[in-house]
Amino acid sequence: MECKNLWFYLFVGFAFILTACSKKEKEYDATGTFEAVQTVVSAEQSGTLLRLHVDEGTTIAAGQEAALVDTTQIWLKICQAGATKEVYRSQKPDMEKQIAATRQQLAKAQTEQRRYRELVADGAAPRKMLDDASSQVQVLQRQLDAQISSLNISSRSLDKQMAATDVQVSQLRDQLRKCRVVVPVGGTVVEKYVEQGEFVTAGKPLFKIANLDNMTFRAYVTSQQLQHVRVGQRVTVFADYGNGQRKRYDGTVSWISSQSEFTPKTILTDDERADLVYAVKVAVKNDGFIKIGMYGELRFANGNSQL
């Protein structure tokens, strides 16, 4: 009889332990993974990669030169465009010199016109001589006007050709500038796709950088939890290192999705029956231990979780 009672009490105790464990409050409200803003830096010009100053794990600042593509051909084209401009410049007419003879002839004809006008007025010369002198002045004036018009057209045409050459040089200098690969944002190189000495084409990815100082934890909450989440809310995030090893971080909700999605297979939710969840982003300051893709947990009520 005592043996039966012993087994009875053991069974009741075991059932009590199972019930207590099942009612134990979860240590998290949502799960997710850590992300970082990643930027792929690509070549903007084609050519041989003469220099590459980065490697995986290299920390690089925004605006720093990371690579150099061969600039020889572009520089030669700039020199050629500069020489072409000088040719156009040398072809510009010297207007004053080219119309000097016609101006002199016109001045002489005008002098003759005035002299014949005085002679005709005094009756010392026939009217026809004045008419011939006046006709000569008109002819020379028209020749001078035509010369000036033609020379102006030629000068404007050459000016436009020189301006077009300047535009071409500006385009080539822009291409020359793009041969120097400058990092748009600071961060750490997480992937490198090419090596120094390779031939790259415009648009080819060279490496990827990520901001590992400020990480984002993407978690998923159910519609029931969504009503208790707001942007700017302070939360607690746990980085999961496996085997029960976790590290706690303070975070701030920075974004809440406006559209639901099906629960990702790798995500656990507070309501395991939930099919649709909402993505939430939490900004977390990285102390160097958080890695991209690391699994983690989210707790909305601070201070109640057990590590």
Side-chain angles (χ1 to χ4, degrees), residues 102-148:
T102 306
R103 280 190 185 279
Q104 187 175 3
Q105 292 175 2
L106 177 61
K108 182 179 179 181
Q110 289 172 339
T111 300
E112 290 291 324
Q113 183 187 35
R114 287 192 296 272
R115 186 168 67 86
Y116 282 124
R117 184 177 290 114
E118 293 174 357
L119 291 175
V120 170
D122 293 338
R127 180 75 186 180
K128 183 178 183 305
M129 297 183 68
L130 176 60
D131 292 341
D132 291 342
S134 297
S135 177
Q136 182 67 17
V137 169
Q138 291 178 359
V139 170
L140 290 172
Q141 183 64 57
R142 288 171 183 163
Q143 288 180 356
L144 180 63
D145 293 341
Q147 281 183 315
I148 293 175

Side-chain angles (χ1 to χ4, degrees), residues 201-212:
T201 56
K204 180 179 178 60
L206 303 179
F207 55 90
K208 181 192 292 185
I209 59 177
N211 182 359
L212 300 182

